[in-house]
Amino acid sequence: MNRRAFLTTTAAATMAVSIKAVSAASVTPFGQTGAPTAATAPLPLGPLPGSRYPDSHLESAKKGPPTFGPADFPAFAGTMAVERVATGFRWAEGPVYFPAGRYVLFSDIPNNRIMRFSEDDGHCSVYRQPSMNSNGNTIDREGRLITCEHSGRRVTRTELDGSITVIADKYNGKKLNSPNDAVVTSDGAIWFTDPAYGIGGFYEGIKADQEQEKHNVYRVDPKSGDVKVVVDDFVEPNGIALSPDEKKLYVIDTGFTDGPDNPSHIRVFDLDAAAGKVSNSKVFAEMPKPSITDGLRTDRDGRVWCSVGWGDPNEDGVRCYTADGKLLGKIHIPETVANLCFGGQQRNRLYICGSSSLYAVYTGVQGSMKP
Ligand code: MG
């Protein structure tokens, strides 16, 4: 092939690729073109395939014919369906909803970015890159973003002017392991978990030696900024959430990832937020091993909603429990689920980070105002 023919052929090939990319991009809001995904073909957006009211992805724990009323599974009505609202991520986790802007921020950890899904027009774009392999995100009482960073090995706050303040990066003079998830109590204290997942390799962070021997739950004092250990007997503390009255603190242990005899469950503590202490540790809910739960949120009535994944695909999705630990129902998602948050103008839309995609479903409840 001579140079002219080569250039012509190359240009045509390039144009074909460009047209394909534009064409693909034109039918999906985000990520189908060039963005890496676990799937070989783009995953379709919208209601999940096969959805028909009542959506079979919503399963009540009560056996027998579904009634979809308050006597059955109070979380759902008959005309709600699970939708995939964005896709094209390597590993989505750590969603948080910003009511003032009507958007969800969530981490795409291996791609080192935080994404923003705008619920008014379904637009999804990059909010921050690099994100220091951010993982869990939450919002404080002043509407500021709180972020746990794997490669930063720190917890940060994004101020209202966009600048970033380091909230915690050390304990006892040594680096934290890799903060994973956080929650903020009404007094402004930030409570976060610090397992070692983010320093185990170069995919979701930067491989490094563990400086904190234990994988602790910490509290950052809102006035002094002091970082103190709250609980030190977790194998791998992970998702963390408050009950709506702030009298309970829920913390997940995903220690099962380190060994089959380790926990795969949610623990609940009595919380004395003013004293910065917890007590009376109990197992709230056991997960069906080998599945684990990674993240959780509560609704306004105190129910607990948690992710499920990594085990039996039939368990992939979300579980909903009463405040005393009784399983009410499941939301089946066709991917491993990491974390979730309530959003929407009525706070009744559940956003679900499931591996390569962001899913959403309206519920019959409202999320807690203690995200
Ligand atoms: Mg987590």
Side-chain angles (χ1 to χ4, degrees):
M1 187 185 296
N2 63 34
R3 177 178 155 78
R4 186 187 187 93
F6 172 78
L7 289 174
T8 305
T9 306
T10 305
T14 304
M15 190 176 293
V17 168
S18 304
I19 289 169
K20 190 177 166 201
V22 168
S23 152
S26 68
V27 297
T28 55
F30 183 80
Q32 307 286 17
T33 59
T37 168
T40 52
L43 296 173
L45 300 183
L48 296 177
S51 289
R52 172 187 170 274
Y53 293 146
D55 187 348
S56 60
H57 296 92
L58 309 176
E59 178 193 351
S60 169
K62 186 181 170 190
K63 300 303 174 196
T67 62
F68 291 90
D72 190 354
F73 185 4
F76 295 103
T79 56
M80 293 160 173
V82 179
E83 302 161 44
R84 185 183 290 114
V85 297
T87 191
F89 320 111
R90 284 196 191 274
W91 176 247
E93 187 160 358
V96 58
Y97 183 74
F98 283 77
R102 293 192 61 201
Y103 55 81
V104 181
L105 296 184
F106 59 99
S107 299
D108 181 4
I109 303 176
N111 282 324
N112 200 12
R113 59 188 181 174
I114 296 176
M115 307 302 299
R116 175 181 46 219
F117 173 77
S118 298
E119 66 178 11
D120 54 345
D121 65 356
H123 178 73
C124 191
S125 57
V126 175
Y127 168 79
R128 176 182 296 164
Q129 190 174 36
S131 63
M132 308 296 274
N133 300 101
S134 68
N135 187 335
N137 294 289
T138 192
I139 182 173
D140 73 6
R141 295 299 174 274
E142 295 174 62
R144 298 171 297 189
L145 170 67
I146 306 294
T147 300
C148 298
E149 298 179 351
H150 280 181
S151 54
R153 302 176 73 170
R154 62 186 190 176
V155 178
T156 65
R157 180 174 62 223
T158 303
E159 307 294 347
L160 298 179
D161 66 2
S163 61
I164 293 176
T165 301
V166 177
I167 300 296
D169 60 356
K170 288 187 182 68
Y171 174 70
N172 258 351
K174 295 177 181 172
K175 282 186 180 178
L176 297 172
N177 294 324
S178 52
N180 189 291
D181 216 343
V183 74
V184 185
T185 41
S186 296
D187 59 359
I190 298 170
W191 307 64
F192 68 94
T193 57
D194 188 43
Y197 294 120
I199 53 173
F202 294 101
Y203 184 61
E204 293 196 358
I206 296 173
K207 188 173 170 60
D209 291 335
Q210 187 176 312
E211 295 184 30
Q212 301 296 334
E213 184 191 346
K214 291 194 167 183
H215 301 168
N216 297 321
V217 180
Y218 294 94
R219 174 186 179 272
V220 185
D221 187 88
K223 293 197 178 78
S224 67
D226 286 349
V227 181
K228 291 240 165 68
V229 174
V230 180
V231 193
D232 69 353
D233 65 348
F234 276 78
V235 181
E236 297 283 9
N238 206 314
I240 185 168
L242 298 164
S243 61
D245 59 7
E246 288 194 21
K247 291 184 174 168
K248 303 278 183 193
L249 181 74
Y250 298 92
V251 184
I252 289 168
D253 196 335
T254 47
F256 180 73
T257 59
D258 301 5
D261 297 330
N262 289 336
S264 174
H265 61 210
I266 301 169
R267 280 166 67 181
V268 61
F269 300 87
D270 292 337
L271 172 64
D272 185 343
K277 289 182 177 165
V278 297
S279 59
N280 196 21
S281 170
K282 290 179 190 159
V283 173
F284 173 79
E286 292 282 0
M287 292 300 114
K289 287 180 179 178
S291 293
I292 60 168
T293 176
D294 188 329
L296 77 171
R297 291 287 194 275
T298 58
D299 68 32
R300 212 176 62 167
D301 304 317
R303 297 180 198 87
V304 174
W305 301 68
C306 72
S307 71
V308 183
W310 296 111
D312 179 354
N314 294 316
E315 297 290 351
D316 286 352
V318 174
R319 287 182 164 214
C320 175
Y321 292 90
T322 61
D324 55 4
K326 183 181 155 217
L327 180 65
L328 283 173
K330 302 176 184 177
I331 304 172
H332 296 283
I333 298 290
E335 299 187 79
T336 275
V337 171
N339 213 331
L340 47 99
C341 72
F342 283 95
Q345 285 181 301
Q346 304 302 327
R347 219 170 179 78
N348 63 342
R349 191 150 168 76
L350 192 64
Y351 287 98
I352 302 162
C353 283
S355 302
S356 74
S357 305
L358 181 68
Y359 297 84
V361 62
Y362 283 100
T363 72
V365 303
Q366 292 179 299
S368 164
M369 291 306 290
K370 306 282 167 53

